[in-house]
Amino acid sequence: MQLVDLKLVNFRNYDSINLKFSKNNIIYGKNGMGKTNLIEAIYVLALTKSFRSNNEKILLKDNSDYTKIVGTVKDEINNNYQINITKSGKLVKVDNNNYKKISDYISKIKIVLFNPNDLQIIKDSPSIRRKLLNVSISQFDNQYLKYLSNYNKILKQRNSYLKTLYINSNMSKDYLDVLTDQLIDLGLKIHEYRVNYIKSINKYITKIYEDICNIKDISVEYISDYNELDIDKIKKKYKENQEKDMLFGITRFGVHHDDIYFKFKNKDLKEYGSEGQQKNAIIAYKLAEISVFKDNIGKLPILILDDLFSELDVEKINNILSIIDNDIQTFITTTEIDKINNSIIKNSKVFHVTDGKVEEV
């Protein structure tokens, strides 16, 4: 899979640009010039959302009513993808065909992104790690995204009805039972996807981590209320929690509380690992995703390494670059192009970004 070209109109600090890419691409320039804006546009084209903010309005250039991202992606054939975002909504197209459901669009362009903010994933809240899982799995199978969307709708309805029952305890609990059964059904499907995905990650992450920093014994553990429970035991748990759920007005049991732990020598890396070990674990996880893509769908994603060189020493960077599959399309952003090996530069298209202007060098 390869992004052939990209056109932006009124995106962040770009008025209008039209770029053509190769297999290897380096984007360099000083901070604040628009390097990350450029790879953010690629990410939005793939997943319809930014990795930097949930507020889509900030993607529109100042005083603009809309932004447009258009790209040609080469897979078995070339397809033209387009995202139009206005202050009132979003429209997605493939080859000029409108997609009413975003979930039908997502999973068409496969992408793996490393961004310096990802280094906080281990230290951050469980919701951030669930988002990491959800973004990854939804690219393999958009049915997962549909299950997740329906689950969140049912969860919202259940929480609302719990509050109603607390206010009026004489109301029937039959509707609550219906919502609970629906939540369990969807939760079991989501749980199965997540279990299988983490198994796939663990197939590769240990070896990749060792290749990066010559240390073994890294793994990822999936934590879920549903782990090792059959459907009858799960239903029993919801019944046991029902009174407290009504008291607090929230569903206190379910896959919406799932988490993943990064473990080193069977200890939680968040509590026992150094900052360097945590950084390397996240990068190993991202690189493991590439192998999972290849195994599951027989395709390589587009790989974006945003400002990797500011976070790691030269030895580890060279180790990472040597691991990457030669056939994968890469986008590397940096402020220090002199840190990149000359052989990589010679085999790449190089773009210099200056205040919203992009020049091919």
Side-chain angles (χ1 to χ4, degrees):
M1 181 165 285
Q2 185 169 321
L3 180 63
V4 178
D5 54 47
L6 181 72
K7 179 181 180 182
L8 302 181
V9 179
N10 298 331
F11 186 87
R12 291 281 194 179
N13 66 330
Y14 293 105
D15 289 319
S16 178
I17 59 169
N18 200 338
L19 303 173
K20 293 187 181 298
F21 300 118
S22 66
K23 185 165 70 69
N24 301 309
N25 305 274
I26 297 170
I27 302 163
Y28 81 98
K30 295 179 181 178
N31 287 327
M33 294 293 104
K35 300 185 305 299
T36 299
N37 292 348
L38 196 56
I39 58 101
E40 179 184 31
I42 298 171
Y43 190 89
V44 174
L45 184 69
L47 296 176
T48 77
K49 290 185 177 181
S50 169
F51 59 86
R52 300 161 83 186
S53 173
N54 291 324
N55 181 7
E56 294 177 342
K57 292 178 183 177
I58 65 172
L59 301 178
L60 280 63
K61 187 172 170 52
D62 292 345
N63 301 318
S64 298
D65 295 324
Y66 76 100
T67 184
K68 181 164 68 173
I69 309 167
V70 183
T72 304
V73 177
K74 182 181 180 182
D75 201 352
E76 283 88 0
I77 59 172
N78 284 11
N79 292 111
N80 184 268
Y81 294 85
Q82 183 171 324
I83 308 278
N84 295 319
I85 300 173
T86 67
K87 293 177 181 178
S88 59
K90 180 166 51 184
L91 178 68
V92 298
K93 295 181 179 182
V94 181
D95 296 330
N96 288 321
N97 296 315
N98 292 343
Y99 276 64
K100 291 182 179 180
K101 292 183 178 178
I102 298 293
S103 59
D104 290 333
Y105 176 95
I106 292 174
S107 81
K108 292 187 177 296
I109 304 174
K110 322 294 182 183
I111 197 162
V112 171
L113 165 77
F114 168 81
N115 177 266
N117 291 335
D118 292 337
L119 299 176
Q120 297 300 313
I121 285 172
I122 290 175
K123 296 177 181 178
D124 225 318
S125 66
S127 64
I128 299 299
R129 291 185 288 278
R130 284 195 298 275
K131 182 180 179 182
L132 177 70
L133 271 181
N134 294 336
V135 168
S136 301
I137 300 171
S138 63
Q139 292 192 74
F140 292 103
D141 189 345
N142 61 11
Q143 183 61 54
Y144 172 82
L145 194 61
K146 293 172 183 176
Y147 288 148
L148 191 65
S149 177
N150 288 336
Y151 181 92
N152 288 330
K153 287 176 185 175
I154 299 298
L155 178 64
K156 188 176 180 180
Q157 291 172 12
R158 188 178 192 272
N159 288 344
S160 177
Y161 198 65
L162 285 167
K163 293 169 186 174
T164 302
L165 285 171
Y166 180 72
I167 295 169
N168 188 351
S169 58
N170 293 324
M171 288 184 66
S172 170
K173 293 185 176 65
D174 290 348
Y175 181 55
L176 181 66
D177 292 338
V178 170
L179 292 173
T180 302
D181 287 345
Q182 291 176 347
L183 204 65
I184 291 170
D185 180 57
L186 290 164
L188 285 168
K189 291 180 171 72
I190 291 165
H191 179 263
E192 184 179 6
Y193 270 100
R194 290 175 176 174
V195 167
N196 291 334
Y197 183 72
I198 294 302
K199 281 181 182 176
S200 298
I201 288 291
N202 279 326
K203 185 178 174 182
Y204 294 102
I205 194 171
T206 304
K207 178 64 166 60
I208 292 171
Y209 190 84
E210 183 182 1
D211 289 343
I212 293 173
C213 50
N214 299 314
I215 299 174
K216 297 182 179 180
D217 294 330
I218 195 80
S219 62
V220 182
E221 183 180 356
Y222 172 46
I223 308 298
S224 177
D225 288 339
Y226 280 20
N227 281 354
E228 299 179 11
L229 294 180
D230 59 29
I231 190 167
D232 291 331
K233 289 179 180 177
I234 290 170
K235 286 184 176 182
K236 185 179 178 182
K237 284 284 186 181
Y238 279 101
K239 284 291 184 185
E240 290 172 354
N241 281 285
Q242 188 169 284
E243 293 302 318
K244 283 189 176 180
D245 283 358
M246 289 167 56
L247 178 63
F248 291 103
I250 56 171
T251 301
R252 298 164 60 251
F253 183 86
V255 297
H256 51 289
H257 296 297
D258 284 358
D259 200 354
I260 55 174
Y261 291 172
F262 287 80
K263 306 192 84 172
F264 176 64
K265 294 186 182 295
N266 219 30
K267 290 184 177 180
D268 185 0
L269 206 57
K270 180 178 180 179
E271 302 296 335
Y272 295 97
S274 69
E275 189 165 311
Q277 287 173 325
Q278 292 174 6
K279 286 181 180 180
N280 293 328
I282 291 297
I283 293 165
Y285 179 95
K286 296 282 184 172
L287 295 180
E289 286 187 304
I290 296 170
S291 296
V292 176
F293 268 110
K294 196 170 183 179
D295 282 354
N296 280 267
I297 59 175
K299 297 177 184 177
L300 289 167
I302 296 165
L303 174 64
I304 298 174
L305 300 173
D306 182 28
D307 208 16
L308 178 69
F309 296 86
S310 68
E311 299 295 335
L312 300 173
D313 59 58
V314 174
E315 180 186 354
K316 288 188 175 61
I317 289 167
N318 287 332
N319 289 343
I320 290 166
L321 295 177
S322 68
I323 294 168
I324 296 170
D325 194 304
N326 288 330
D327 293 328
I328 195 170
Q329 185 182 31
T330 58
F331 291 85
I332 296 173
T333 74
T334 183
T335 56
E336 302 168 287
I337 196 167
D338 55 309
K339 281 191 175 182
I340 301 179
N341 190 293
N342 282 334
S343 63
I344 295 173
I345 294 174
K346 287 178 181 178
N347 291 311
S348 303
K349 259 195 175 186
V350 180
F351 301 90
H352 184 219
V353 180
T354 311
D355 199 19
K357 301 287 189 292
V358 184
E359 179 186 12
E360 185 179 335
V361 179

